[in-house]
Amino acid sequence: MPVKVTLDAALARRGMTGKQLAEKMGLSETQLSLFRSGKVRGIRFATLAKMCAVLECKPGELLDYDADASDLALKD
């Protein structure tokens, strides 16, 4: 998948653990772990906004994109 979760790097820059982030967000460690590993197929904007508020960052610090030609193929 060309979209990659870079949350671990954002946590490291802030000296915060995933457990601490989950606690501050009121999210289970399991849910956060699934996001960190890229095993989720989506995330609610409200959850992403809360994560950004706690980490004082922008969504671009939590996600990255590697271009893939197949992304241009339209699928219904």
Side-chain angles (χ1 to χ4, degrees), residues 39-57:
K39 292 182 180 177
V40 295
R41 298 196 40 93
I43 183 171
R44 293 177 187 260
F45 283 140
T47 304
L48 186 60
K50 194 168 196 176
M51 198 176 295
C52 288
V54 170
L55 292 172
E56 298 178 350
C57 70

Side-chain angles (χ1 to χ4, degrees), residues 3-66:
V3 175
K4 296 180 182 176
V5 178
T6 56
L7 175 58
D8 286 338
L11 287 170
R13 284 191 297 274
R14 287 160 181 80
M16 185 182 289
T17 65
K19 182 176 182 174
Q20 291 169 323
L21 176 61
E23 287 174 3
K24 289 183 180 198
M25 289 183 63
L27 192 66
S28 75
E29 287 183 64
T30 301
Q31 289 173 312
L32 185 63
S33 178
L34 289 171
F35 176 70
R36 289 170 75 180
S37 67
K39 292 182 180 177
V40 295
R41 298 196 40 93
I43 183 171
R44 293 177 187 260
F45 283 140
T47 304
L48 186 60
K50 194 168 196 176
M51 198 176 295
C52 288
V54 170
L55 292 172
E56 298 178 350
C57 70
K58 303 249 183 205
E61 289 184 61
L62 306 177
L63 301 170
D64 196 14
Y65 172 75
D66 289 331

